[in-house]
C-alpha cells in the first residue's frame, strides 16, 4: 500500500512539473529597456506563426528582469549585461539554475548634439568625462562649453556595462543626469548643445538631431564608428571588435528551457529571429 502511495505521489509531482513554466504556452519576458522594443518585435513575429502562444514583454531594466526571474514572476529575463556571480548564488539558494543565451550583439554608441564639432573621443577621454575629470568641451578639442552628462539609471544593464568597462568601476560624476531609457537620452541630447549620452546604437540611427562619435581605443589607434558611411549599423566593426564598445545581449531562463520556451529561444537565434535583430538596429549573431 505504501509503495502504491509513493508511486502516486511521484506521478502527481511529475504531472505538476510537466505542466509548469517550461511547458507553458504563455510566456512572460521582463528586463532590459535596451532590448524591450526588439523583444516586443520578436514576440509579435513569433505569435503570428504560433497563434496558440501568448508572449508578454515588459521592460524595467536588466536588474529588474533578473530579480523577477529569481522570484519566479517571469519565464525569461532580458539583460544587456551578463548575470553577476552574486545573482547566480542567490538564484541557487532560491532553487533556480539560470541558463544564459546570447541573442544579439550591441554596439554601445556615444552621442553628442549635431552642432557639436567633436567627431571622436578616446576611451580615456570618455572615461574622464563621465568620472567628472573632464568638464568642458574645450578640454577635448571642442568649444568652450560645460559638458552636460546624461546617463542611465543604476538598475540598467547599460549603466552597469558602462561603469564596469568604461569607468573601470569608478563612480559617475555626481552631476550626471540619469534617464529612464535610451529614448530619453536621445531626446535630451537632441535638445542640449552641450550634452553627451550613450546607449545602444540602434536607438540613434536616423536621428538627425544628434551625432554618433567615433571612438579610439587609445591615442595611437584609429577612430572607429559603430556606423557605416551611409548611416547604417556596421556589423563587421562589432564582429571584429575593432569598435571598442560592444557587448552581447542576453536572455536568461531559470532552468534548462523546454517546450514552448525552448522553441521560442531557438527561433530567436535562428536566421528568421536574427532578421528582427537587424531591423531593430542591433548586430546579429555572426554565422559560423
Amino acid at each position: 500500500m505504501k509503495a502504491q502511495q509513493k508511486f502516486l505521489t511521484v506521478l502527481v509531482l511529475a504531472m505538476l512539473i510537466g505542466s509548469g513554466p517550461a511547458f507553458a504556452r504563455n510566456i512572460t519576458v521582463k528586463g532590459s529597456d535596451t532590448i524591450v522594443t526588439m523583444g516586443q518585435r520578436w514576440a509579435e513575429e513569433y505569435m503570428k506563426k504560433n497563434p496558440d502562444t501568448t508572449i508578454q514583454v515588459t521592460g524595467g531594466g536588466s536588474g529588474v528582469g533578473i530579480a523577477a526571474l529569481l522570484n519566479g514572476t517571469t519565464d525569461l529575463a532580458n539583460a544587456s549585461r551578463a548575470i553577476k556571480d552574486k545573482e547566480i548564488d542567490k538564484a541557487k539558494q532560491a532553487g533556480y539554475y539560470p541558463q544564459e543565451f546570447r541573442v544579439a550583439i550591441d554596439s554601445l554608441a556615444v552621442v553628442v548634439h549635431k552642432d557639436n564639432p567633436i567627431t571622436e573621443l578616446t576611451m580615456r577621454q570618455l572615461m574622464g568625462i563621465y568620472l567628472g575629470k573632464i568638464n568642458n568641451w574645450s578640454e577635448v578639442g571642442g568649444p568652450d562649453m560645460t559638458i552636460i552628462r546624461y546617463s542611465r539609471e543604476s538598475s540598467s544593464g547599460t549603466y552597469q556595462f558602462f561603469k564596469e568597462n568604461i569607468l573601470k568601476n569608478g563612480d559617475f560624476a555626481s552631476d550626471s543626469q540619469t534617464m529612464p531609457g535610451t529614448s530619453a537620452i536621445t531626446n535630451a541630447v537632441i535638445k542640449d548643445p552641450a550634452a553627451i549620452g550613450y546607449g545602444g546604437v540602434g536607438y540613434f540611427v536616423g536621428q538627425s538631431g544628434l551625432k554618433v562619435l567615433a571612438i579610439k581605443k587609445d591615442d595611437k589607434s584609429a577612430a572607429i564608428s559603430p556606423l557605416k558611411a551611409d548611416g547604417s549599423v556596421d556589423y563587421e566593426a562589432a564582429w571584429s571588435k575593432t569598435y571598442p564598445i560592444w557587448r552581447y545581449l542576453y536572455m536568461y531562463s531559470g532552468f534548462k528551457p523546454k517546450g514552448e520556451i525552448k522553441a521560442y529561444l531557438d527561433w530567436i537565434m535562428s536566421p528568421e529571429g536574427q532578421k528582427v535583430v537587424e531591423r531593430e538596429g542591433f548586430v546579429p549573431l555572426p554565422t559560423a
Side-chain angles (χ1 to χ4, degrees):
M1 185 68 176
K2 288 183 179 180
Q4 185 178 15
Q5 290 176 334
K6 184 177 180 181
F7 172 76
L8 289 172
T9 300
V10 171
L11 179 61
V12 169
L13 285 171
M15 290 173 67
L16 289 172
I17 292 171
S19 63
F23 293 85
R25 301 290 281 183
N26 296 321
I27 300 173
T28 57
V29 186
K30 187 173 183 63
S32 170
D33 288 314
T34 296
I35 306 176
V36 66
T37 301
M38 179 167 63
Q40 290 167 346
R41 298 295 175 269
W42 273 329
E44 290 167 5
E45 292 291 326
Y46 189 82
M47 287 189 291
K48 286 178 184 177
K49 298 178 178 297
N50 300 272
D52 292 334
T53 300
T54 300
I55 303 171
Q56 182 180 12
V57 182
T58 55
S62 299
V64 171
I66 291 173
L69 187 73
L70 305 190
N71 64 29
T73 56
T74 190
D75 297 307
L76 295 169
N78 285 336
S80 58
R81 61 165 174 84
I83 193 170
K84 299 177 181 178
D85 289 342
K86 64 181 180 181
E87 290 169 330
I88 294 175
D89 292 340
K90 185 176 179 180
K92 290 179 179 178
Q93 291 171 10
Y96 296 98
Y97 297 86
Q99 305 291 304
E100 179 180 280
F101 302 90
R102 293 174 174 177
V103 293
I105 296 172
D106 183 26
S107 291
L108 197 68
V110 179
V111 293
V112 296
H113 189 273
K114 66 179 179 61
D115 294 334
N116 191 327
I118 292 292
T119 59
E120 63 185 53
L121 289 171
T122 66
M123 293 282 280
R124 183 175 293 276
Q125 288 172 329
L126 183 59
M127 179 182 184
I129 288 172
Y130 272 96
L131 288 177
K133 295 181 178 180
I134 297 174
N135 296 295
N136 194 291
W137 283 111
S138 63
E139 297 176 67
V140 291
D144 182 10
M145 187 165 52
T146 300
I147 297 172
I148 306 300
R149 294 168 269 256
Y150 289 98
S151 179
R152 291 294 310 281
E153 71 282 12
S154 60
S155 64
S156 161
T158 302
Y159 170 98
Q160 293 292 337
F161 179 88
F162 198 92
K163 180 179 174 68
E164 293 171 9
N165 293 274
I166 309 302
L167 305 189
K168 307 303 180 185
N169 284 314
D171 292 326
F172 280 84
S174 59
D175 63 355
S176 296
Q177 300 184 45
T178 57
M179 309 300 283
T182 308
S183 295
I185 286 181
T186 300
N187 294 333
V189 173
I190 287 174
K191 296 175 182 177
D192 193 339
I196 186 170
Y198 61 88
V201 68
Y203 283 85
F204 305 129
V205 172
Q207 296 286 349
S208 59
L210 52 73
K211 181 191 302 179
V212 174
L213 299 183
I215 302 295
K216 300 173 71 172
K217 289 181 180 180
D218 52 52
D219 293 337
K220 297 179 181 179
S221 300
I224 305 297
S225 173
L227 299 178
K228 294 180 181 179
D230 64 2
S232 62
V233 178
D234 190 338
Y235 301 156
E236 189 58 41
W239 291 338
S240 66
K241 304 179 185 178
T242 53
Y243 180 70
I245 316 176
W246 67 275
R247 58 184 173 168
Y248 285 108
L249 299 178
Y250 304 90
M251 293 182 78
Y252 289 93
S253 62
F255 301 98
K256 185 176 180 179
K258 297 179 181 179
E260 198 68 20
I261 292 175
K262 181 180 185 304
Y264 183 47
L265 287 167
D266 287 345
W267 178 85
I268 286 172
M269 291 179 283
S270 74
E272 192 173 8
Q274 291 298 294
K275 284 293 182 183
V276 177
V277 175
E278 295 182 32
R279 290 199 298 269
E280 292 302 313
F282 292 95
V283 179
L285 299 171
T287 54

